[in-house]
Amino acid sequence: MNWKKSLDILFPPRCAVCDRVLPYGTTGACPECRQGLPRFREPRCFCCGRTVEREEEEYCNDCNRRKHLFRRAFPALQYVPPVSDAMAALKYHGRAEYADFYGRLVAQSFRDSLMGLGADCLVPVPVHPHRRKKRGYNQAALIAEAMSEELGLPVREELLIRSEDTVAQKKLSREERSLNLRSAFQAGAGTPPPCVILVDDIYTTGATADACTEVLLRAGAEQVYVATVSA
């Protein structure tokens, strides 16, 4: 018995959706949880990737009202329970191991679309050093690493830095989110390549994605796309 199997017996992996202990030999999520994940149905908005009501609608009402700086977003799952609970566990309760399952899920869900973009790298949305120290990791970076293993694209975490430790976005309005993030991000080391895929756990209003995109475009990127676990 190798060391990995020994660890699985001593510390059995848990489902990244329901958090129950997985049957021996199973990884990521329970088969029933995989089947029940709340995915977006077609047709989808050509900008944010959420479901629209009619095939002839190119954009959802939200994206019709507001122009985003990124080209297009690719969210894999709807941000409803149990996905919203899993994202909270990943982000706030130390369940870093969930990132591997969800990162691979995003990559597998959009493999052809993402590889067809001609992207040069994956750039995770950064967290402030104080928050990273407290949390122990950046969940977006862990998701990007799992996507990298699936897609073969490098992760360029150094291209973006979080310069301000802003208040939590989830309790803010759209306007407050934009103001909150206005100077939160800065260009890091190196020049971004022409085409970048920005990676995050949750897409809500697009304020974070737009703030990061603006910095990347000013630093030299030509096109920025967004891939997230949920929206």
Side-chain angles (χ1 to χ4, degrees):
M1 182 178 292
N2 63 34
W3 66 270
K4 178 64 169 63
K5 290 182 178 179
S6 299
L7 282 177
D8 285 349
I9 293 172
L10 292 171
F11 306 102
R14 291 180 173 271
C15 173
V17 181
C18 70
D19 200 45
R20 291 195 296 263
V21 173
L22 290 169
Y24 182 73
T26 306
T27 60
C30 310
E32 56 270 29
C33 285
R34 289 177 185 268
Q35 291 295 323
L37 286 170
R39 298 178 183 270
F40 288 98
R41 59 176 174 80
E42 298 291 341
R44 287 182 176 223
C45 174
F46 285 174
C47 183
C48 73
R50 293 187 175 107
T51 298
V52 294
E53 290 302 316
R54 296 182 297 275
E55 189 73 42
E56 60 270 20
E57 293 182 71
E58 292 188 352
Y59 302 102
C60 67
N61 291 334
D62 186 60
C63 291
N64 269 322
R65 288 195 299 266
R66 174 178 176 171
K67 181 176 176 58
H68 292 288
L69 297 177
F70 56 87
R71 292 292 184 94
R72 189 171 184 177
F74 297 88
L77 303 170
Q78 297 180 53
Y79 186 66
V80 296
V83 174
S84 54
D85 297 330
M87 292 299 97
L90 167 62
K91 199 167 186 174
Y92 302 115
H93 303 297
R95 303 317 293 263
E97 68 273 18
Y98 286 4
D100 185 74
F101 171 75
Y102 287 105
R104 292 181 188 277
L105 176 71
V106 174
Q108 292 163 5
S109 298
F110 300 112
R111 183 184 302 277
D112 291 343
S113 296
L114 295 178
M115 296 308 293
L117 300 175
D120 302 286
C121 67
L122 305 168
V123 179
V125 171
V127 296
H128 192 273
H130 292 165
R131 194 163 298 185
R132 183 165 190 160
K133 183 177 180 180
K134 180 179 180 180
R135 190 175 298 164
Y137 54 86
N138 173 8
Q139 73 282 352
L142 297 181
I143 293 166
E145 291 290 350
M147 290 179 63
S148 175
E149 291 187 17
E150 289 284 332
L151 301 175
L153 293 173
V155 177
R156 299 286 305 276
E157 194 171 356
E158 78 281 2
L159 293 177
L160 270 179
I161 59 174
R162 187 123 189 185
S163 52
E164 291 187 9
D165 192 8
T166 52
V167 299
Q169 292 281 93
K170 60 184 178 181
K171 296 182 179 180
L172 304 180
S173 68
R174 174 187 292 280
E175 291 73 20
E176 290 170 333
R177 286 170 186 257
S178 296
L179 289 172
N180 189 42
L181 294 168
R182 181 164 291 172
S183 58
F185 302 100
Q186 291 183 4
T191 301
C195 186
V196 168
I197 298 175
L198 187 71
V199 177
D200 207 358
D201 54 339
I202 305 165
Y203 175 102
T204 308
T205 65
T208 297
D210 279 329
C212 291
T213 297
E214 183 175 12
V215 172
L216 289 167
L217 292 175
R218 286 181 176 176
E222 298 172 8
Q223 302 175 38
V224 177
Y225 294 87
V226 180
T228 65
V229 174
S230 59

